[in-house]
Amino acid sequence: MIPKLKVKANTNPQNLCATITGPDDFELETRFCDYASAWTVSTYPELQKGLRIGDPICDRYSIQLYENMTTFVIADGCSWGTRPRKAATIATTEVMSYLSSQLTTPELDSHQLAIILLKAFVLAHTKILQAEEIPIEAGTTTLLVGVVVQVRQYSDTDSVTPSLGLGQASYQPTGPGPARGPGPGSGGGSPSTSGPGSVTRWGLFCASVGDCKAFVFSQSRKRFVDVTSGNRGGSLTDCGGRLGPSTVEGHPDLRNLRLDFCFVEEGDIVVAATDGIYDNMDPVMLGLQPEQFGLQGKMDGGSVSSTSESWELLEKEKPALIRKIKAHFLVDMLNQLVAAKSKSLSSLTVSSRAAFDLLSRSPKSCELRQDSEDCKEEDDNDESQLSFDDSAHFITKSLIQHVLNTTHKTRRFMESHPNSPQPPNGGCGVFKTQNKTQTENWTEITQSFQGS
């Protein structure tokens, strides 16, 4: 639910620190110092020089960083080809333009902001249809839109309407004192006040349709929270919803359209990712056995031929339990990849059909830059440890690195055997099997889910 809050929005061009859009044809990271980073690559195999399956990349992103707010959009064109890419491009462009024109009022309320986000979706869908001579031939795309902005709770004397639905307030920071958000130039110290009972905090507002996700990395807790938890409910092949013509009448698929909100603190990092990132943190994709989670992989005494088949049987019999386990595992993987030790990088050119955006504070002294630095395959024999780094650039690079490592064997196999079926479980063999203690912990977690 979206709570009723006062929102301090200001998209005055004079307050704009930086704009990041992409990707370009070179699949480079674009970043604004250590405060904002975006990177899109492709993990599809290259069948011959210059000819890669899945091209062109259909993911698009856009970020605008202002003095006291940030807006961002991420879109994943559905299927392959130029039309999905065109749909994703139109959606990101139109939404960012609409937000810039609408978030000019010095003080909105949170429900008005939510309505602006939903109207942006209507505009994006309409423009996608209008771009084709025959509207139903237009491409389709998933979409996630976010705004990080200062918010202020109403005082006891203010008239407050009930919370707005379509989502949930999914993260409340812990620790002493009011939350402080990641506003550019907001600085440290105590939160500002404006009269009795009103404390300025920071909030993340998201609207989404489809399977793009938003996470928050909490600086105080040093761990991630899935802001869009539950938006992926079906199989890996079902995005759950999309803009563009999903019916012969040209209607969008709004099955999982939702609004989400969470308070954020000073220095927190917001992460937006397509399924090309987080699908590689799914137990099935990593080749993990159900037994490692305290689950029985063979149902009703029968036999199965693969790990993926075991999971499929479990998902049919216990869908709610498996969703909880996978959601918990996803966040656990994010925490391990970013907060655990980091190894030095050696050599392998990157590539993933995944857009990945990170946002944080953005002082005007920073400069927009593109990095030609390649992500390399991780050297498992190099035990050197780096100090923990929670910058946007580091988190982007760590997760892109994981995606490339996870898909490396499958990509090389398909390049060497273009007419052969993909090996079971992706043939990834990258994720280290959990040790006994970790497996016992997962058994306890699974039991707690079963009891809830």
Side-chain angles (χ1 to χ4, degrees):
M1 304 294 286
I2 304 294
K4 188 68 176 292
L5 300 165
K6 293 181 179 179
V7 175
K8 186 179 180 181
N10 189 353
T11 55
N12 187 318
Q14 293 181 343
N15 296 325
L16 183 64
C17 299
T19 298
I20 295 176
T21 59
D24 60 17
D25 293 333
F26 300 102
E27 300 177 25
L28 304 178
E29 178 196 19
T30 303
R31 62 178 168 133
F32 187 59
C33 287
D34 286 331
Y35 301 108
S37 169
W39 203 340
T40 299
V41 290
S42 173
T43 54
Y44 283 113
E46 190 175 277
L47 299 185
Q48 54 183 291
K49 192 67 175 177
L51 180 61
R52 184 175 59 192
I53 293 176
D55 279 351
I57 292 176
C58 295
D59 298 351
R60 308 300 298 174
Y61 58 77
S62 184
I63 308 169
Q64 288 191 333
L65 300 109
Y66 295 88
E67 276 288 328
N68 288 297
M69 66 178 288
T70 295
T71 59
F72 63 94
V73 182
I74 184 171
D76 182 359
C78 301
S79 190
W80 295 351
T82 57
R83 288 181 178 173
R85 185 186 194 184
K86 185 177 181 181
T89 302
I90 291 172
T92 54
T93 302
E94 294 296 335
V95 166
M96 290 303 276
S97 176
Y98 184 74
L99 293 181
S100 296
S101 68
Q102 296 297 309
L103 299 181
T104 56
T105 305
E107 191 143 321
L108 301 165
D109 68 49
S110 53
H111 292 183
Q112 291 171 323
L113 175 55
I115 291 170
I116 288 172
L117 293 177
L118 293 176
K119 285 183 176 180
F121 276 58
V122 175
L123 176 64
H125 173 72
T126 302
K127 292 295 186 179
I128 289 170
L129 296 182
Q130 291 176 348
E132 299 294 337
E133 187 174 341
I134 303 176
I136 61 171
E137 293 184 355
T140 60
T141 183
T142 64
L143 186 67
L144 183 144
V145 184
V147 179
V148 181
V149 67
Q150 286 181 311
V151 297
R152 188 157 48 86
Q153 293 177 315
Y154 281 86
S155 66
D156 296 337
T157 59
D158 287 324
S159 175
V160 180
T161 59
S163 297
L164 187 65
L166 274 182
Q168 56 185 345
S170 47
Y171 166 46
Q172 293 284 347
T174 58
R180 295 181 298 277
S186 61
S190 302
S192 61
T193 60
S194 180
S198 62
V199 178
T200 298
R201 309 173 72 179
W202 290 88
L204 166 63
F205 295 84
C206 285
S208 65
V209 64
D211 53 9
C212 294
K213 277 190 165 294
F215 305 89
V216 169
F217 179 77
S218 167
Q219 291 286 5
S220 62
R221 299 162 67 186
K222 294 298 181 188
R223 60 181 293 109
F224 283 92
V225 174
D226 183 354
V227 179
T228 50
S229 178
N231 71 327
R232 161 72 77 79
S235 68
L236 297 181
T237 58
D238 180 11
C239 64
R242 53 197 166 136
L243 299 183
S246 64
T247 68
V248 293
E249 295 84 9
H251 299 316
D253 178 357
L254 303 179
R255 284 174 295 154
N256 69 347
L257 174 67
R258 57 188 281 161
L259 294 167
D260 291 286
F261 170 80
C262 68
F263 288 107
V264 286
E265 297 176 329
E266 173 77 22
D268 288 356
I269 295 180
V270 179
V271 179
T274 67
D275 59 343
I277 290 288
Y278 69 82
D279 275 352
N280 290 286
M281 300 174 200
D282 184 287
V284 181
M285 298 294 288
L286 295 170
L288 298 180
Q289 302 291 334
E291 288 77 9
Q292 292 176 260
F293 296 82
L295 297 166
Q296 177 54 255
K298 298 179 180 180
M299 309 301 292
D300 301 325
S303 61
V304 294
S305 59
S306 67
T307 298
S308 59
E309 187 177 344
S310 295
W311 283 104
E312 287 175 9
L313 291 171
L314 286 165
E315 286 173 345
K316 289 179 181 178
E317 181 155 315
K318 302 177 180 179
L321 174 63
I322 300 305
R323 282 197 298 270
K324 288 181 180 180
I325 290 173
K326 287 189 174 184
H328 192 99
F329 183 79
L330 168 58
V331 173
D332 194 51
M333 277 290 298
L334 286 169
N335 293 328
Q336 287 185 47
L337 288 167
V338 174
K341 70 177 182 179
S342 302
K343 295 182 179 180
S344 62
L345 308 175
S346 43
S347 177
L348 175 122
T349 305
V350 292
S351 296
S352 152
R353 185 174 169 270
F356 189 79
D357 312 281
L358 294 127
L359 320 168
S360 183
R361 292 172 295 169
S362 55
K364 284 187 171 179
S365 58
C366 289
E367 294 181 355
L368 191 64
R369 59 181 290 185
Q370 277 200 321
D371 284 355
S372 58
E373 173 187 21
D374 284 338
C375 242
K376 311 291 185 180
E377 185 179 16
E378 188 178 71
D379 182 359
D380 289 334
N381 296 318
D382 186 347
E383 297 298 331
S384 61
Q385 294 189 19
L386 305 177
S387 60
F388 178 73
D389 181 354
D390 53 11
S391 69
H393 163 68
F394 175 82
I395 294 177
T396 299
K397 189 171 181 178
S398 297
L399 300 186
I400 288 286
Q401 179 71 66
H402 167 75
V403 169
L404 294 169
N405 284 341
T406 301
T407 57
H408 172 58
K409 285 189 176 181
T410 297
R411 184 167 54 258
R412 293 294 174 257
F413 177 88
M414 294 178 71
E415 289 173 347
S416 302
H417 306 82
N419 298 318
S420 300
Q422 184 174 318
N425 303 320
C428 55
V430 171
F431 186 74
K432 307 294 188 300
T433 303
Q434 297 159 309
N435 61 34
K436 183 177 180 182
T437 303
Q438 290 174 312
T439 303
E440 289 173 350
N441 289 341
W442 267 106
T443 300
E444 294 173 3
I445 291 169
T446 300
Q447 290 173 346
S448 69
F449 287 153
Q450 289 174 322
S452 61

